[in-house]
Amino acid sequence: MERLTLSDYGANHGIVNPVYGLPAPTMAGAPAASMHGPSAPPANMFDTVPGYEGTVAGGGGGYLPPPMPSVPMPVPEQAPSPDWHIPSISEDRARQAFSTYVSSKCCYSSAPVREGVITNMESFNTYRYRLETFMESRSTEWSQEPYAGQPVDAGVQPAPGPWQIAAQPPAFFQEHKQTIKVPYTSSVKNCHLCLGMGRNPCTTCAGAGNKVCWVCNGSGYRHSDDRCTHCNGRGRENCSSCSGSGSCQCDTCRGKRQLLVFINLNVKWSIEKDDFLAQDSSGLKVEKLEEVSGKELYKDAQYMVYPVRGFPDASVAQASERLVRDHQVKYAQTSRILQQRQTIELIPITKVNYMWKGKPNVYYVYGNEFKVNADDYPATCCCSVM
């Protein structure tokens, strides 16, 4: 069998990640709890911060492209040649799986299991190739919180760039999110919603402090000349929402009149995954194979993986070449790739032909779980629910 070889995919493929885990500059920002008010602040409320010109309130500015690695690349290592041994199942195992499947069906008779005679078993080699890319993405947004004496550091010194700020990454292939307040971006502004007053007109009474009495509907009387006791004949009652003052505490600044505005850095570690399932001639529907696992024939995890070469099924090698290139083009522009992992699984499929009552029938046993598919089971009955 041809030995697995590695394609010429540039200096970044097949090597240890040169940036993941390296000490970041000493600019650790404290995690910030985002507290957006009910109304977005105007754009002119925010200062211009070099390196963060595209930052908007509430996000939406897109992910920021990472810088190019600035450390030397280690020499790549060639992956070892895997074992392509193909397992098969026995007649007894096929019968056992068939029996378990039929017993789980309330409307299936077990007669074909007991009386059926297996005439032929065919094994099919179906492969699933999977490429996973673990990456880090960064985006920024202007945030705000009521000002209550927090440190103000805008302009003290230049703010560090989005990719210069230290973040605590999770283990490889564990998704996670972290929000960090960008140092030297915090400033104090008057609250835009209450215009620095700390209070807003009550929305229940429109600032009047009172509203029409719900008992007498504003007439001051209940029946004929009986004065309304609820409003003492005024026809109006004090607003319960604002206690008759006509205004309520501003929800945005919580009555503090001022806001601390700053830039939040949102760091996201995510996994992008693509699968390729090689075609087979067994006749089993491809959707069934998505439900099961297979025997892992090959696994390779590196900073950048090489496309697989020398695999017995040429379509798998072609899929590896295509997906590795696609992931590079699609994700490296807006994210920092930290690790890639590729696997090849053999999903065993056994087509079992058997005779029952003089007629040929077929069922399939597939996956590590020995699942069974028998769409044309010959002994079913109609069930009804009373």
Side-chain angles (χ1 to χ4, degrees):
M1 183 177 294
E2 182 183 356
R3 181 176 176 81
L4 190 79
T5 59
L6 305 175
S7 68
D8 181 14
Y9 242 65
N12 288 354
H13 284 77
I15 59 178
V16 176
N17 187 334
V19 293
Y20 192 78
L22 291 180
T26 309
M27 296 177 177
S34 180
M35 285 183 50
H36 295 289
S39 175
N44 59 9
M45 179 175 176
F46 304 119
D47 300 326
T48 299
V49 180
Y52 294 86
E53 289 82 1
T55 302
V56 296
Y63 290 113
L64 305 168
M68 294 295 294
S70 58
V71 295
M73 300 296 182
V75 177
E77 296 181 4
Q78 181 167 319
S81 180
D83 176 16
W84 306 122
H85 175 67
I86 307 301
S88 58
I89 65 172
S90 63
E91 280 195 18
D92 288 342
R93 192 68 188 84
R95 287 182 182 278
Q96 181 183 352
F98 193 33
S99 176
T100 301
Y101 168 77
V102 171
S103 64
S104 69
K105 304 290 185 179
C106 65
C107 298
Y108 282 20
S109 167
S110 61
V113 178
R114 299 192 312 270
E115 303 166 3
V117 178
I118 294 178
T119 57
N120 185 37
M121 290 176 58
E122 300 176 79
S123 296
F124 294 86
N125 304 336
T126 303
Y127 304 103
R128 176 164 54 213
Y129 171 82
R130 174 172 293 165
L131 176 63
E132 298 171 278
T133 296
F134 179 64
M135 59 191 189
E136 176 184 338
S137 306
R138 297 191 173 200
S139 62
T140 57
E141 62 177 337
W142 278 103
S143 300
Q144 64 193 36
E145 61 186 33
Y147 178 63
Q150 302 95 311
V152 177
D153 57 10
V156 173
Q157 67 181 65
W163 286 95
Q164 294 177 308
I165 298 173
Q168 183 60 49
F172 284 145
F173 298 101
Q174 289 188 9
E175 295 190 328
H176 184 59
K177 292 181 179 180
Q178 185 178 0
T179 299
I180 302 170
K181 183 183 290 185
V182 177
Y184 310 115
T185 63
S186 299
S187 62
V188 177
K189 308 289 183 181
N190 282 339
C191 178
H192 59 283
L193 198 64
C194 66
L195 303 180
M197 301 299 292
R199 302 184 69 84
N200 286 313
C202 176
T203 56
T204 303
C205 64
N210 55 71
K211 56 185 179 179
V212 174
C213 175
W214 64 273
V215 177
C216 66
N217 200 28
S219 67
Y221 296 90
R222 298 185 62 181
H223 303 290
S224 63
D225 294 333
D226 292 339
R227 185 184 297 272
C228 177
T229 57
H230 183 74
C231 65
N232 294 323
R234 294 170 54 217
R236 303 185 70 85
E237 59 179 321
N238 283 348
C239 175
S240 58
S241 297
C242 63
S243 301
S245 67
S247 64
C248 297
Q249 178 178 286
C250 177
D251 290 333
T252 300
C253 68
R254 295 185 180 177
K256 300 296 184 181
R257 302 187 179 188
Q258 292 181 312
L259 296 172
L260 183 74
V261 296
F262 52 90
I263 294 176
N264 263 342
L265 174 67
N266 299 315
V267 188
K268 177 183 177 183
W269 291 273
S270 60
I271 303 169
E272 294 295 338
K273 179 180 70 175
D274 278 299
D275 288 353
F276 169 78
L277 197 62
Q279 295 295 321
D280 70 272
S281 55
S282 66
L284 180 66
K285 294 180 180 178
V286 174
E287 306 86 72
K288 296 291 184 182
L289 303 179
E290 297 175 357
E291 306 169 357
V292 297
S293 60
K295 177 187 176 183
E296 190 174 271
L297 300 179
Y298 175 71
K299 182 178 181 179
D300 178 30
Q302 302 186 55
Y303 167 45
M304 297 282 190
V305 297
Y306 288 94
V308 173
R309 295 291 180 85
F311 191 74
D313 190 320
S315 67
V316 172
Q318 292 168 0
S320 175
E321 184 91 19
R322 174 177 55 83
L323 291 176
V324 168
R325 179 177 287 109
D326 288 351
H327 275 221
Q328 272 287 88
V329 172
K330 187 175 181 180
Y331 303 122
Q333 305 302 314
T334 58
S335 303
R336 175 183 284 170
I337 294 178
L338 303 176
Q339 186 89 166
Q340 288 186 307
R341 179 169 63 194
Q342 58 182 346
T343 57
I344 300 176
E345 292 175 283
L346 167 76
I347 303 179
I349 302 175
T350 301
K351 184 178 182 180
V352 183
N353 298 280
Y354 68 101
M355 296 291 293
W356 184 65
K357 290 188 175 182
K359 294 183 179 180
N361 296 278
V362 64
Y363 65 89
Y364 297 89
V365 182
Y366 58 99
N368 285 345
E369 298 81 1
F370 299 106
K371 282 201 170 187
V372 170
N373 178 253
D375 287 338
D376 299 318
Y377 191 71
T380 61
C381 62
C382 296
C383 297
S384 60
V385 179
M386 302 301 292

